[in-house]
Amino acid sequence: MRGGASRAEFSAAASALPPLFSSLGTTTALLLSTMFLINTNTVVAVSTTSLEEPFQTSFEHLPHDGCVSLFHRNGRVGCGTLSRSTMTGRIVHWSTVVADANDVNDNDENDNNNFINDNAGKLPPYVAVMDETEFTTANVAALRNFANAADDMAGGDSARCIGGGEGENADPNQDGAGVLRGLLVINATADAESNNGNGNMNYYYSPEAASPQGDDTPSANIAQSSYEWNPNGDGNTLVDYHGLPVVYVSKADVAADLYSVSMEQSAALQRILDGDDSVGADDLYPAIMAEFNYYMGPEDADSPTCLAWRNVDESWAPKCLPLAGNSVWAVAGSPESAAGRRRLEDQQQDGGGNGNQRPIVMMATSIDSTSMFHDASPGANSAATNILALLMAAKLVGSSVPDTTLDGLSKRIMFGFFQAESYGYVGSRSFLRDVAYPGFQCDEGRAVPAVTKNAGSGDDNEEEVKMGCLNPLRTDLDFMKLGEISGMIAVDQVGVLGTDQTFYVHGENAGGNDNGFLANVLLQLGSNDWTIASSAAENDDNGQPAIPPTPLQSLVKLSEGAVGGAVLTGYDDAFVDASYYHSHLDSNATRIVNLDSVAMAATVLARAAVASAYDNGEGDAESAAQYAANLVPILSTEDETFLALADCLLTDGNCDLLLSYGKMERINNEYVTGLDMGMGVPLGNPPNYYPSIYDASNGQGFVQVGTDVYGSYTGDKEYGKAKTDRFLLLPSLLEMSIHGMLDDFLGRGSANADGNDVAEPKSCKSSKDCSSVSYCSATGDEALCSGDSVCVCSRAHYHLALDEAIVPAPNNITGKFLFDENDQGVSPIYTEPYWSSIGVRVYRDAGGSSGNWALGAGLIVWLCSLVSTFLLKKKLKKEKLY
């Protein structure tokens, strides 16, 4: 989970183990206690976690990024232990405990490599180590197949005893754990002999499916296209690894230590497999062990079950939370006349949307990414470059095109940054469904002022009041004032190019009745140095146009092809090899993002936005593109904001720039609501674009009515009677920063009262300082203080990014969700289970023999003491001294 917040356990915590001597008689307990003290130096070695070099006490909690479980509508994916019991085994290299490929197929016992024979059933429990380039679906399957065969040969008994009597090497875990206890995936630099077939530097594996969110994925029913964009993907993120905990160790020195130990400890296991019956406890111990505490719920868990979970007393206690968050959107130019409360009530009768407004052209991207290891989702090319390009496009539009010009164009330009797109296009589908497909319906009488203290009391003031909906809860209803959607231009992966200084355009045939106008606009915006070409991608196997996995998929699917658009990308008919799509290796450290291409993409997007809005329906792409090029300059790669923002998004998500906008958003929020909500979960260093769970601390909006708060409200208490009645929201720092930047970048274009010169922005420390500015005087316009400490006009809005199948439960606290009565059964509903205190411990196990020696020595001392005491007592009696 992003931010590292802890979770409650999926089910009740296991009872504490009884004290060591609680079941023994007093005399025996005292005797054993005395023996334990006599032999402290030996016995402690059995249980200590203070190890010889390189394993010291710091490995009590092995530094790692975990592969956790996710649930969806029909099952689960990801990793975890079988139960709350830990899973423990000696560390060995995976190559020792996997059959040779030929043996897997042919079971050729004459082959000199490992094959699955009776000796495999004699192996002690182990934890496999493999480097990140070897962590593929096929290799893990081979590892598990070998372990399953070994378990069968052991008679299903996981308590193996090698080289000693019963219990000497007894399995400390529950029955059924099997011989394979976990998998440590290590930094590839630790394994100089990695056998990945291509060499570490040229290995471009992706754990995502070949058709991201397409056929054979939980999102298949909402995908418009199932084209295989990701040829390096093998679907590892979609495998259910329940019973196999897996973690990634990124620190090179720690990974090197683990690799070295795994190779050393593999020797004894190889001897067992080779049939060497002389292998005993002295060969196996002492051993470096790994212990996994990674319970993620029962095997048959899914999202509907965990969201509806009830305790034995029938109290509702969900065991998971949705993957969700907040999208951010903004419209360039002055607000069109505000609708006010009465108009919002009228609009819901017509299914939402405002036919009196100009149509909008959407500029869209995703703001999230993922990987097998969620806390290591750097998303440099799959998220960061998209955000950077579109934010800088907004800045170009806001700084080069005055509001007076934007207000005169045929269409309005909307910038949309959509959250949780990697898990079912959650953000874009939520927004588009609310705006138009089919349109949001607020319950009758439930559209209310978002903040009671700012509601005012006159008809003239009503039009400026921000509105919210109590049920289904929406903290902001300004999306209902948008006109119809005319089309969308999306951007994807423009930081790593397949061909030097070349972008590709997708979607000429992706729906709509504009004859590919938006695609043609993009194609007109090349230059002497940069080429923009049509993609060579053909239709998918279902005959659908090949649309990249972007918000455009949502628009075409929901509009049933009535509205289309185009996508600007850095790839042609397949993702670039070095994209590392949805991998923990998609980072600027793995391969450097091309900032020249991102800057040019921003320029192209800004010009395309203006050109698309300029067209009056004639479809003259060439003239529209020329008009835009004359207005919007080329973004310099030396632009200070561009470079600072690039560093934030690619390297340090806790940078001063994001923090400055986040802090001002916090101040502005307190100024409006009267409550300091703080700042949301940081992006992290390095940045992590995993969308996270959804509750009050992680982006879920809620409403305060009197002294109580609700995720949604239909109760009898009248909202608005108390001045503290209000809608509240705590987005992530990334979402807050995007919101603040859109206000700043798009909110400086309003003209002075005389309509001539553009006003010089007024300096500010908070929005209190902006109440008298003249350049935010349009109806419905509002001045606020930006993260750059100047007064700007409000342009940005949040919109919930929550799976369409579920809604916040009315009259309940946050974190509780019900299925929408109109659920069509198509969305994936990804959730993450509650958990706490997970981790991996690495320690030295001295084995049972040292304990036996200690026990034997203790018994000898005890017997000697008894004999000595008896003889001494006898002698003292003889001398009449006793």
Side-chain angles (χ1 to χ4, degrees), residues 517 521 524 611 614-615 618-630:
F517 172 72
V521 165
Q524 294 293 325
Y614 170 78
D615 178 67
E618 295 181 357
D620 187 349
E622 184 178 358
S623 297
Q626 187 60 55
Y627 171 82
N630 292 337

Side-chain angles (χ1 to χ4, degrees), residues 151-448:
D151 292 334
D152 291 341
M153 292 170 185
D157 181 10
S158 62
R160 294 167 168 80
C161 302
I162 305 295
E166 181 177 356
E168 181 174 310
N169 188 33
D171 182 0
N173 301 279
Q174 77 286 350
D175 289 339
V179 68
L180 176 59
R181 297 301 170 82
L183 180 57
L184 296 171
V185 180
I186 61 174
N187 186 316
T189 59
D191 181 359
E193 301 174 0
S194 172
N195 181 25
N196 57 51
N198 294 302
N200 289 344
M201 297 302 295
N202 298 314
Y203 190 76
Y204 301 124
Y205 170 74
S206 164
E208 188 57 85
S211 175
Q213 303 195 69
D215 288 346
D216 301 320
T217 74
S219 301
N221 290 329
I222 62 172
Q224 175 63 23
S225 171
S226 288
Y227 184 86
E228 293 191 357
W229 294 104
N230 188 31
N232 291 329
D234 72 350
N236 214 0
T237 57
L238 302 176
V239 179
D240 178 7
Y241 286 127
H242 176 70
L244 178 65
V246 182
V247 301
Y248 172 60
V249 179
S250 61
K251 292 187 176 181
D253 56 342
V254 178
D257 292 339
L258 291 171
Y259 174 73
S260 176
V261 166
S262 73
M263 296 303 292
E264 291 175 4
Q265 297 193 156
S266 292
L269 269 65
Q270 187 62 58
R271 288 172 57 195
I272 294 173
L273 291 170
D274 291 341
D276 185 348
D277 294 332
S278 67
V279 178
D282 290 341
D283 300 294
L284 294 170
Y285 293 97
I288 302 299
M289 314 289 284
E291 176 187 75
F292 289 83
N293 179 20
Y294 253 92
Y295 184 53
M296 295 282 156
E299 183 176 11
D300 58 352
D302 56 31
S303 290
T305 301
C306 74
L307 288 171
W309 187 278
R310 291 185 179 274
N311 291 328
V312 292
D313 61 359
E314 290 302 313
S315 60
W316 186 16
K319 298 303 179 184
C320 61
L321 287 171
L323 293 188
N326 288 280
S327 301
V328 188
W329 64 276
V331 177
S334 304
E336 305 205 348
S337 57
R341 264 178 285 188
R342 290 191 299 270
R343 190 166 204 172
L344 286 169
E345 295 285 356
D346 293 340
Q347 285 177 14
Q348 66 180 0
Q349 302 296 327
D350 300 326
N354 187 354
N356 296 324
Q357 306 289 354
R358 287 179 293 160
I360 62 172
V361 56
M362 296 178 64
M363 310 298 296
T365 192
S366 64
I367 62 172
D368 66 283
S369 187
T370 188
S371 78
M372 282 296 295
F373 312 101
H374 297 158
D375 285 340
S377 299
N381 195 44
S382 58
T385 59
N386 302 338
I387 299 168
L388 179 59
L390 198 57
L391 275 176
M392 293 310 299
K395 187 174 189 295
L396 282 172
V397 171
S399 61
S400 60
V401 187
D403 280 5
T404 50
T405 300
L406 291 168
D407 295 346
L409 298 177
S410 298
K411 304 179 186 70
R412 305 178 75 195
I413 302 169
M414 195 208 88
F415 293 88
F417 295 78
F418 296 111
Q419 182 63 276
E421 292 290 284
S422 303
Y423 291 97
Y425 303 114
V426 171
S428 58
R429 286 183 64 90
S430 175
F431 181 81
L432 292 167
R433 283 169 57 85
D434 275 3
V435 170
Y437 310 107
F440 179 70
Q441 296 283 330
C442 184
D443 287 356
E444 184 177 357
R446 297 292 175 177
V448 297

